[in-house]
Amino acid sequence: MTPPTPADGLTRAQVAERVSTGRTNAFTADTSRSAWSIVRANVFTIFNGIVFACFFVLFAIGRWQDALFGLAAFSNAIIGCVQEFRAKAALDRLALMNAPRALVRRDGAETEVVPGDVVLDDVLVLRAGEQVPADATVTQSRGLQIDESMLTGESDPVEKHPGDEALSGAVVVAGEGLAVTTRVGADSYANRFAGEARRFSLVASELRSSIDRVLTWVGWIIGPVGLLVLNAQIIVTGGYATAFSSGSWQQAVVNTIAALTAMIPLGLVLMTSIAFAVGASRLARRQVLVNELPAVEGLARVDVVCLDKTGTLTVGDIVFDAEHTIGGASPSRADEVAAVLAWYAAAPDANSTARSLRADHPVRAPLHVRGDIPFSSARKWSATVFEEVDGTWVMGAPEMIFGDEATSSSTELGRTVTRLAESGRRTLVLARAEQPLSESEIAEERLPAGLAPVRVLTFREQVRPDAAQTLEYFRRQEVAIRIISGDNPRTVAAIAREVGLDVEEGFDARELPDDDAELARLLDSQQVFGRVTPEQKKRMVTALQSHGHTVAMTGDGVNDALAIKTADIGIAMNSGSPATKAVARLVLLDGQFSHLPDVVAEGRQVIANIERVSMLFLTKTAYATTLAVVFGALILAFPFLPRQLSITDGLTIGIPAFFLALMPNASRYLPGFLWRSLSFAIPAGVVVAGGLTWYDAVARGLGVSEEQLRTGATVILAIVGIWVLAVLARPLNRFKVLVVGAMFVLLVGIFSLPPARSFFALVDPGEELALALTGIVAVMIAAIEIIRFVHRRVVVDRVRPSGDRTGETERAAQAARGSTVARVLTNGVAALAYVFGLLATAFGVLVFLSRYEGTVGRTAFSLLGASIALFGLLVLAIAAGVRRGSGLSRLLLTIVLTLAIAVSVAVLLAGDRWDWGAGITGLVAGVLVTLLWTPPTTHRFGRIRDSSMGRGRP
């Protein structure tokens, strides 16, 4: 078939023929994770394989009651897949709605089509800001420059001439041209690479890499530890010969499976995936498209935000303001000036600034171009020679055309430009040279000699109404702001002052040092930069990164594409060019700058909550691994059945972790996520394992049965697990209290209701063992409190920036209120609350265990004892809030103490003799309630509604 001519392009019939034969640019590329990758990541993993294998082994030997962990693993996989599929659906819909467009020439007219409708031999119209939709050969070029950095790694734009190849995915940064497509669809250059900019890519993240490292460590040791435990369990049952002859090997296998499944932090992987997916979905509801899920985590690390002025701080719509005649300009050329300005406004490749001239300068007498140097964002000027008008006309940034003369107070041009720029208006200059452009000037893109200014043109931009509030948020969060613009530094500084930044004048990017180290130091001291070229924007981002900063770059123009791609988090406005949106990790779909605080807050929530949750899971891994090694080395029977570990895993870790991972949390990001998590988890795990080993020795010394020993061990692990949960959830708010309390109530139900006790093989541990484990639990709880105290003071606070002490400002204000007597009383109440909490917990556990089985009356005492223990746990958790003057904590403590009084009274009335424990509990609770609501103590507490869910730290 006859190839198309550049003037006309393909005919409708030629397009239809190519569509029918499949020669189109249609290519199915996931804009987010593929369905198979989601299923594979959540189901087909090494550790899921281990868990499911253990699950089926237990089923095969008839111990289905001990296979509950398999159901939990199935549920985790299903929940993870569903959450990610929901996020994928939302992201794919948004990506489809915001797909870029392609400009082609067909039947002699320009037509806009979706990239997938481009066919082989189509004539592409390439202009600045467009993205090449398919591989093509350039046929016409007028200063055409294409940035292929996202494909080839070459950062400098490449000048394209007729016959050169333009690769799909490349960006037109200057000039214009035509090109005929040569490869489309899956055959094109960009589509042969999985890393093409518009596709999802799983970028490296500290969360994922840290968790993968833990899983690798567990993977290396789980085999040897499993053999050690299995050997010990078989020896305990009487040796290999006896075990296989009597069938007791089955119990050895069950014990080994219990040890192995406890070591695997499966839920941590699930929680991380869900937190990423939910974070992306939340941002999607706020009209923020997340191209890469791990970018949600990256938001938490941002400490410098680089902003392009136009389209970010300002609305982006340029409005023509006025013409300012320079004294030397000849009035007789007014008609020529009007015609030239009208041509610039109506030119096919006119940018938004030039187009704003159309209303005031309509085309009356069309001009024809005889030669020109197209506009380039690097040069910031264009030059044109017309057939109807004498000389060469140049329009662009005053400083780029006239240099220092444009800012000098000794020239009329300098005084005019300076005065106008300081008022916040953008300025361009129209200049004229008597001689037309020579061939060498066009080839070398040089300004003609003898240029004289004719007009200074001013343009206005509307500052976004939410810009000042957004920048104030960043200031409070200690996120530094750098405004990087291609406009006049004085104009940029004026806009910066209007949005609340304390700057006198902007720094002229033409004076930026060539040395990268000096540039980095300059960026630490300067906030506003003008006349910045696209390459300089990229250098500035790189320089900030070299000083250890995590940089977010926002912008909407094609000149921002390189910097957005280089930044740690690239954020594009939806009004920007397709190229800019293609390389950005986030796109603000409605162009609202005010979404940026939401974006940063969402990232901080994800990483802070996952750090909190990881301590739960890693503590379990630590104590399970230590227990397995200790009991395997000492040849002891493992003290749990798998079904009993399912209780503690689900109610003290799995279910509450799901809620904690999704709760608001505004803590600043701190490097060293894995170290901080392990520095708590390992000591806490050792304490739990040590306490259970101590308990095992005591229980065996008392000569209790295996069922009683396992029951006591399960009780210890449940209570200590709830305690660890409450410790890591601090500071508590109403939702965290609800989660922790609900888990404790469920545990009480399992230990109290006969069907649950029967299913989980829980029996009466006996009075002596109950007393022993109560003392052991108290020691373990005290040790965990000490570990958490040291962890926060030595590990967390040591790396926390001095300005980031979440809630300390509020606490200082609370401390300033009231008298010394009030402070002493408040601290005294908090101390009594701590003591009361410890006593109530210990007493409740004792009552609960000493009446574990028996008549209905004893069951009632069991429930009352569990309730008292729950109150004790909550009182201890709330006591810290009371010490800080939290109004919500005072209310919660009052409610808890009132209920404790009621429960104590009920115990006294139900008993046949005086119960000193219940009596003392009621008395102490009454004294504390009185002190809480009696002046001067009451003045120390803030309002209840001032309590914030977002406060807290890992």
Side-chain angles (χ1 to χ4, degrees):
M1 184 172 288
T2 305
T5 61
D8 299 326
L10 293 174
T11 64
R12 186 174 302 177
Q14 289 173 323
V15 172
E17 186 272 334
R18 285 162 172 78
V19 171
S20 65
T21 56
R23 291 179 289 172
T24 71
N25 201 41
F27 177 75
T28 304
D30 288 333
T31 54
S32 59
R33 298 183 71 181
S34 67
W36 169 244
S37 69
I38 291 174
V39 172
R40 186 176 65 245
N42 286 282
V43 179
F44 297 100
T45 66
I46 294 176
F47 292 104
N48 270 352
I50 295 173
V51 170
F52 292 148
C54 294
F55 176 82
F56 290 119
V57 166
L58 291 175
F59 254 89
I61 63 177
R63 297 291 293 270
W64 61 271
Q65 302 95 328
D66 290 312
L68 291 180
F69 62 85
L71 298 178
F74 276 117
S75 300
N76 284 349
I78 292 171
I79 292 172
C81 289
V82 169
Q83 288 285 358
E84 291 207 43
F85 274 126
R86 291 181 62 184
K88 169 183 167 59
L91 298 180
D92 287 349
R93 283 196 303 269
L94 290 171
L96 181 63
M97 291 166 52
N98 293 275
R101 313 288 290 181
L103 197 60
V104 298
R105 182 169 290 177
R106 294 175 179 173
D107 290 322
E110 293 183 2
T111 303
E112 194 176 69
V113 299
V114 297
D117 290 344
V118 173
V119 300
L120 193 66
D121 298 325
D122 246 332
V123 175
L124 304 176
V125 180
L126 304 178
R127 295 196 179 109
E130 299 292 337
Q131 191 170 37
V132 182
D135 295 352
T137 299
V138 177
T139 57
Q140 292 182 16
S141 172
R142 297 180 63 251
L144 182 64
Q145 295 182 14
I146 294 181
D147 170 27
E148 298 175 340
S149 61
M150 73 177 71
L151 302 172
T152 65
E154 174 59 47
S155 60
D156 295 327
V158 179
E159 188 88 21
K160 295 292 184 180
H161 303 284
D164 291 343
E165 186 177 37
L167 299 176
S168 58
V171 181
V172 180
V173 295
E176 61 179 357
L178 300 177
V180 177
T181 58
T182 55
R183 291 188 297 272
V184 293
D187 295 329
S188 66
Y189 184 89
N191 288 337
R192 293 201 300 268
F193 293 89
E196 196 267 326
R198 285 188 301 270
R199 294 185 57 183
F200 176 89
S201 60
L202 194 61
V203 298
S205 72
E206 185 183 5
L207 284 180
R208 286 190 182 276
S209 61
S210 298
I211 293 170
D212 289 343
R213 202 178 315 162
V214 171
L215 293 178
T216 301
W217 294 340
V218 175
W220 277 105
I221 67 174
I222 197 168
V225 171
L227 293 175
L228 178 66
V229 174
L230 179 61
N231 175 70
Q233 303 313 299
I234 289 180
I235 292 176
V236 167
T237 59
Y240 284 88
T242 302
F244 287 101
S245 62
S246 64
S248 58
W249 64 269
Q250 294 185 2
Q251 186 60 49
V253 169
V254 171
N255 290 350
T256 303
I257 288 175
L260 294 183
T261 54
M263 291 171 58
I264 303 173
L266 281 174
L268 183 55
V269 180
L270 172 70
M271 288 299 107
T272 304
S273 297
I274 289 178
F276 280 156
V278 171
S281 296
R282 284 173 174 167
L283 290 175
R285 290 195 294 271
R286 297 186 180 107
Q287 295 297 299
V288 179
L289 172 61
V290 181
N291 284 331
E292 305 178 30
L293 290 183
V296 176
E297 173 204 339
L299 302 173
R301 301 196 299 266
V302 167
D303 58 0
V304 177
V305 175
C306 296
L307 306 172
D308 178 52
K309 176 180 68 67
T310 305
T312 304
L313 294 180
T314 61
V315 174
D317 295 331
I318 304 299
V319 179
F320 176 63
D321 179 55
E323 290 181 43
H324 305 269
T325 302
I326 302 301
S330 173
S332 62
R333 293 194 178 277
D335 292 340
E336 292 182 356
V337 170
V340 170
L341 291 176
W343 180 87
Y344 273 111
D349 59 348
N351 57 27
S352 59
T353 303
R355 289 195 299 269
S356 69
L357 294 167
R358 290 178 180 177
D360 292 88
H361 296 86
V363 176
R364 293 188 173 87
L367 301 181
H368 299 86
V369 177
R370 193 169 64 190
D372 73 330
I373 301 175
F375 178 82
S376 164
S377 57
R379 294 191 311 271
K380 300 190 182 300
W381 56 264
S382 63
T384 312
V385 178
F386 302 99
E387 293 182 356
E388 295 82 2
V389 181
D390 294 337
T392 299
W393 297 82
V394 177
M395 188 161 76
E399 297 89 343
M400 306 303 284
I401 297 175
F402 291 99
D404 293 338
E405 182 183 346
T407 57
S408 174
S409 59
S410 62
T411 65
E412 183 183 3
L413 174 64
R415 290 191 296 271
T416 302
V417 169
T418 300
R419 174 176 54 83
L420 295 172
E422 287 177 346
S423 68
R425 284 175 281 184
R426 296 182 62 184
T427 58
L428 293 179
V429 65
L430 178 67
R432 179 180 178 277
E434 291 291 341
Q435 299 300 320
L437 288 169
S438 65
E439 292 183 3
S440 63
E441 288 171 337
I442 294 176
E444 298 174 10
E445 297 183 349
R446 287 188 289 107
L447 286 168
L451 276 173
V454 177
R455 296 285 192 277
V456 172
L457 309 173
T458 53
F459 304 84
R460 290 181 288 104
E461 296 180 88
Q462 181 181 352
V463 175
R464 291 184 181 273
D466 54 3
Q469 182 179 355
T470 303
L471 294 186
E472 173 60 20
Y473 166 83
F474 284 128
R475 187 191 65 78
R476 292 196 308 269
Q477 296 297 316
E478 295 187 342
V479 176
I481 298 295
R482 298 293 181 269
I483 299 178
I484 303 174
S485 175
D487 287 342
N488 186 303
R490 291 185 174 87
T491 303
V492 183
I495 296 294
R497 288 192 294 271
E498 192 171 343
V499 296
L501 291 185
D502 184 16
V503 293
E504 294 184 1
E505 60 181 33
F507 190 91
D508 195 323
R510 293 174 300 172
E511 301 175 8
L512 288 177
D514 294 329
D515 182 71
D516 290 340
E518 291 183 17
L519 176 61
R521 286 192 292 270
L522 178 67
L523 285 163
D524 286 337
S525 60
Q526 296 288 333
Q527 287 184 281
V528 176
F529 298 84
R531 296 303 179 206
V532 185
T533 65
E535 180 58 35
Q536 285 177 322
K537 288 185 179 182
K538 177 185 175 183
R539 278 192 64 214
M540 294 168 83
V541 169
T542 304
L544 287 168
Q545 291 170 329
S546 71
H547 271 203
H549 294 294
T550 302
V551 182
M553 175 72 196
T554 69
D556 66 339
V558 67
N559 60 327
D560 301 317
L562 282 176
I564 284 178
K565 184 188 172 194
T566 304
D568 297 282
I569 299 294
I571 305 172
M573 299 292 180
N574 193 43
S575 58
S577 68
T580 306
K581 291 185 287 185
V583 299
R585 292 185 179 176
L586 301 169
V587 180
L588 304 182
L589 297 176
D590 57 2
Q592 293 298 314
F593 181 53
S594 57
H595 288 317
L596 288 184
D598 293 334
V599 169
V600 174
E602 192 67 46
R604 289 184 172 181
Q605 172 177 317
V606 167
I607 197 168
N609 282 340
I610 291 300
E611 179 168 338
R612 190 191 304 274
V613 166
S614 71
M615 294 184 194
L616 282 174
F617 285 100
L618 294 179
T619 298
K620 186 196 81 163
T621 297
Y623 72 66
T625 303
T626 306
L627 272 180
V629 172
V630 170
F631 277 66
L634 298 179
I635 316 296
L636 298 173
F638 198 71
F640 299 101
L641 294 175
R643 74 188 86 166
Q644 293 166 342
L645 285 176
S646 297
I647 300 173
T648 56
D649 285 356
L651 297 184
T652 67
I653 300 174
I655 296 174
F658 179 82
F659 293 100
L660 291 179
L662 303 180
M663 282 185 175
N665 194 325
S667 298
R668 280 284 303 274
Y669 163 77
L670 301 173
F673 153 76
L674 183 58
W675 156 244
R676 283 195 307 279
S677 297
L678 291 177
S679 62
F680 172 82
I682 291 177
V686 170
V687 165
V688 174
L692 288 169
T693 304
W694 178 19
Y695 161 78
D696 185 84
V698 172
R700 294 188 187 280
L702 293 174
V704 300
S705 67
E706 200 71 27
E707 291 77 11
Q708 288 176 309
L709 187 149
R710 291 196 187 108
T711 298
T714 305
V715 170
I716 289 176
L717 194 55
I719 294 175
V720 175
I722 281 287
W723 197 276
V724 172
L725 172 64
V727 164
L728 293 178
R730 296 173 189 167
L732 294 179
N733 53 52
R734 67 202 72 180
F735 296 100
K736 292 178 184 176
V737 168
L738 180 62
V739 170
V740 176
M743 295 305 103
F744 194 90
V745 169
L746 289 174
L747 283 172
V748 168
I750 288 173
F751 283 107
S752 302
L753 301 177
R757 295 205 308 269
S758 176
F759 179 83
F760 289 105
L762 302 172
V763 299
D764 184 1
E767 190 76 20
E768 290 183 331
L769 190 58
L771 288 170
L773 70 86
T774 300
I776 293 172
V777 165
V779 173
M780 293 170 67
I781 287 175
I784 287 173
E785 285 288 345
I786 294 171
I787 289 171
R788 184 54 171 164
F789 177 83
V790 173
H791 177 258
R792 294 185 63 167
R793 296 300 184 272
V794 176
V795 177
V796 176
D797 285 348
R798 179 171 294 179
V799 298
R800 185 174 299 277
S802 59
D804 180 36
R805 296 288 189 267
T806 306
E808 287 188 4
T809 302
E810 292 86 347
R811 290 196 293 273
Q814 298 283 353
R817 295 203 298 263
S819 63
T820 303
V821 174
R823 288 195 293 272
V824 171
L825 286 176
T826 302
N827 290 332
V829 169
L832 288 174
Y834 278 120
V835 173
F836 170 72
L838 285 170
L839 291 175
T841 301
F843 174 71
V845 171
L846 182 61
V847 172
F848 170 61
L849 293 175
S850 63
R851 294 162 174 81
Y852 193 81
E853 286 184 347
T855 65
V856 175
R858 290 187 177 180
T859 300
F861 274 109
S862 176
L863 292 174
L864 287 173
S867 300
I868 294 173
L870 172 60
F871 290 143
L873 288 171
L874 294 179
V875 168
L876 274 168
I878 296 170
V882 171
R883 185 172 56 84
R884 292 193 299 267
S886 167
L888 176 61
S889 295
R890 178 173 67 155
L891 176 62
L892 290 174
L893 182 58
T894 302
I895 294 173
V896 167
L897 292 174
T898 302
L899 291 174
I901 294 171
V903 170
S904 299
V905 171
V907 170
L908 292 173
L909 294 176
D912 54 1
R913 56 193 175 90
W914 178 261
D915 192 321
W916 282 102
I920 294 173
T921 298
L923 177 62
V924 172
V927 171
L928 291 179
V929 170
T930 303
L931 288 176
L932 282 173
W933 295 94
T934 302
T937 309
T938 186
H939 300 300
R940 287 273 298 160
F941 292 95
R943 294 178 301 178
I944 295 173
R945 65 170 177 259
D946 288 342
S947 300
S948 171
M949 283 187 62
R951 296 174 189 169
R953 50 181 171 171

